[in-house]
Amino acid sequence: MYAKKSLGQNFLMHARIAERIADTALLTPDDTVLEIGPGTGMLTRPLLARAKKVIAVEADHTLVATLQETFAHEMGEGRLELVYGDVRAFSTASIGVPYAVVANIPYYLTSYLLRLLLTAKQKPTTIALTLQKEVAERACAKAPHANLLALSIQAYGTPRLVKVVPADCFLPKPNVDSAILLISDISDTFFKEHHIKERDFFTLLRKAFGQKRKTLANNLTPMSDKENTKNLLKKLQLPPDVRPEAVPLQA
């Protein structure tokens, strides 16, 4: 089986790691799972062993044919639904029930897929992914080392780096190690409690981290005059020269 560079494929080759990824999501026999890019089915098998149903979305038609043959029995039972297509065109609303996302995703789609899943009207209850180790570490960072990715994720749920996965567990071998990232307790409660629209929140975040070497006040000046920004920082008990990475989410 040849990996396609255009699809960012790095096939997971270790069954033990696949079992660990599946365990991370804490699935029950009543759960429905969305798997993105099942590839050779290495992760699909332990997911089927733990969940009621797996919906696997695969963009490679060659792999779809192989998966149909490998999991013909599970598909016949209705426990595996194999969808041929790009997950970016897949509607999570079509799942119709609470679901978890468990997947070994292409590195280049990481930010897009996280945004797609977390901002979806029908959000997953839990997300367990393998992605670049550095990205997983950034996702879990908190003040004074916060960043745009971390705050974007932590507004919806609680991220945790579960395990580092060495590069040689994949074929072809990537240039960097990966990690299993778990995002639990996913909801839009943060926005409701703070009476803020998601769109406004992300506009603010992008402005706040617009230029890394500037203070938060200077980055926000185009949105608000300096006096208003100064008063807001004072109200939040933050120093006037505070940098965006030093501000906690709940400030």
Side-chain angles (χ1 to χ4, degrees), residues 136-205:
E137 291 172 337
R138 286 176 51 221
C140 298
K142 294 186 177 182
H145 305 292
N147 56 74
L148 181 59
L149 175 66
L151 294 175
S152 298
I153 292 174
Q154 291 166 25
Y156 291 101
T158 304
R160 179 168 66 90
L161 194 160
V162 176
K163 179 179 176 60
V164 174
V165 182
D168 58 12
C169 290
F170 301 89
L171 186 69
K173 180 180 176 180
N175 295 324
V176 295
D177 287 338
S178 295
I180 303 171
L181 177 71
L182 173 68
I183 307 175
S184 57
D185 304 318
I186 297 171
S187 73
D188 56 5
T189 301
F190 170 82
F191 301 96
K192 291 179 179 178
E193 288 183 345
H194 291 81
H195 307 288
I196 183 172
K197 295 180 180 179
E198 292 174 76
R199 180 183 59 190
D200 295 339
F201 174 75
F202 287 110
T203 297
L204 179 65
L205 273 189

Side-chain angles (χ1 to χ4, degrees), residues 1-28:
M1 188 65 65
Y2 294 97
K4 294 181 179 178
K5 189 174 182 180
S6 61
L7 294 177
Q9 293 173 335
N10 293 94
F11 298 129
L12 180 63
M13 303 305 294
H14 284 243
R16 181 175 56 82
I17 297 298
E19 294 279 346
R20 182 62 185 274
I21 298 168
D23 285 339
T24 295
L26 300 176
L27 301 172
T28 74

Side-chain angles (χ1 to χ4, degrees), residues 143 151 190 194 216 232-233 235-238 242 244 246-251:
L151 294 175
F190 170 82
H194 291 81
L216 177 61
L232 176 61
L233 293 177
K235 182 180 179 180
L236 295 174
Q237 298 182 333
L238 294 171
V242 68
V247 181
L249 179 65
Q250 298 292 343

